[in-house]
Amino acid sequence: MRETEQKAVKAYTEKFGGAPELVASAPGRINLIGEHTDYNGGFVLPCAIDRRIAVAVGTGEGGLYSADFDETREPGERDDSWADYPRGVAWAMGEKGHETGSFRAAFTGDVPLGSGLSSSAAIEAATALALDALLGLGMSRKDLAVLCQRAENDYVGVASGIMDQYASLLCEAGAALLVDCRSLEAKSVPLDLAAADLALVVCDTRVERGLADTGYNDRRSTCESAASTLGLEELREATEEDLKRLSGEELKRARHVISENARVLEAVEALNDNDFDHFGRLMYASHASLRDDYEVSTPELDTFVETARQHGATGARLTGAGFGGCAIALLPKAQSDRVKRACKRSFADADFEDPAFYEFLPATGAELTRSPSVQV
Ligand code: GLA
């Protein structure tokens, strides 16, 4: 078991007495390319990061315990806390006719919170995998991801797409995950960064972003209205030719979605050919489109991308919803410290918050261990 899983088991044992029946853990994610395409039925290419949330679970009363916040919440009503995510998953299982009955759970994790690395999808995915096993449901990973999205949309009340939950449940180590968000088919795309001597640096701008923010919902509804202006169900079906029939914000948002979907497919080809330079150019183009057409970048995100470019990064872009949060750069491993230092300087010069950096190799998706015990 991983350290995080061990910690969850220990927290469960100390809190509730006795060993849990299962422990599950699930990762956060970064998105390599394919932003704001999932809710338009388009393509995304995320990978899991090696930061996870673990949950140890057993049947019986006792509630939901967070070892990180050292607090217990009742399974019951929504209260706008972290506990809404596991509650939402239990609710969504009930909606599918699988009453969870009473269960208790202890959570812990190291996915940075509120910075766009999908800690919420990680806690949902870990809970869903654990409850599925506890109840012996045998649901597929894809169905669990859809169930987690339902929890997020209809219980927590955040209108996210399917990308984060898919990434957390279906990603494989050493690979990115190409998801067709219309058919919900997913396929691993090998991404061996170590062999290419490349690093993936994540810059957390420390500008808190809330998905419930009007910006995200605004973008979604403009996309829906652009699709309906074109007589289409989703912008996924729109072509460049269709853009002639749009204007204003509908035109800009649709232009991003159409070009971004094409970039994802091109990026997958580039990865299959081991052509990281091509992949990097697509990342820069994605950022420019998110900045100029989708208008979800911030001065901090732009500064990171420009600084990375000036210091020889292969590619860089904002990742996740935008409006703050994180950006990523793909760059020769030897350059990574230089880029981080230069970025810290640019942020200080501009009077931005001091950024935080992480480096990740594409990690494995959610995992389950039965009858776990704390190893000493
Ligand atoms: C957030 C949402 C995802 C996706 C991205 C933008 O991360 O949770 O579903 O829409 O924003 O690509």
Side-chain angles (χ1 to χ4, degrees), residues 50-131:
D50 45 18
R51 296 289 190 100
R52 305 174 78 85
I53 290 185
V55 57
V57 173
T59 36
E61 307 291 329
L64 307 168
Y65 173 65
S66 160
D68 301 326
F69 300 129
D70 191 21
E71 64 176 27
T72 307
R73 303 250 168 187
E74 292 310 314
E77 293 298 295
R78 265 196 59 172
D79 61 5
D80 292 321
S81 75
W82 60 271
D84 286 347
Y85 298 102
R87 287 178 185 131
V89 170
W91 168 83
M93 287 197 160
E95 290 291 291
K96 276 194 85 78
H98 308 304
E99 285 307 328
T100 52
S102 69
F103 70 95
R104 53 195 182 199
F107 297 86
T108 184
D110 58 6
V111 186
L113 303 178
S115 51
L117 298 174
S118 289
S119 53
S120 52
I123 186 170
E124 289 158 3
T127 307
L129 196 63
L131 290 182

Side-chain angles (χ1 to χ4, degrees), residues 29 31 34-39 44 116 118 120 149 152 158-165 209 211 216 220 290 317 319-322:
R29 63 99 190 91
N31 188 17
E35 219 65 81
H36 291 280
T37 46
D38 60 353
Y39 53 81
V44 294
S118 289
S120 52
Q149 188 199 10
E152 177 115 16
V158 176
S160 62
I162 190 69
M163 168 169 71
D164 308 340
Q165 291 79 9
R209 40 151 292 281
L211 254 196
Y216 187 85
R220 280 193 78 135
L290 287 159
R317 58 184 291 279
T319 189

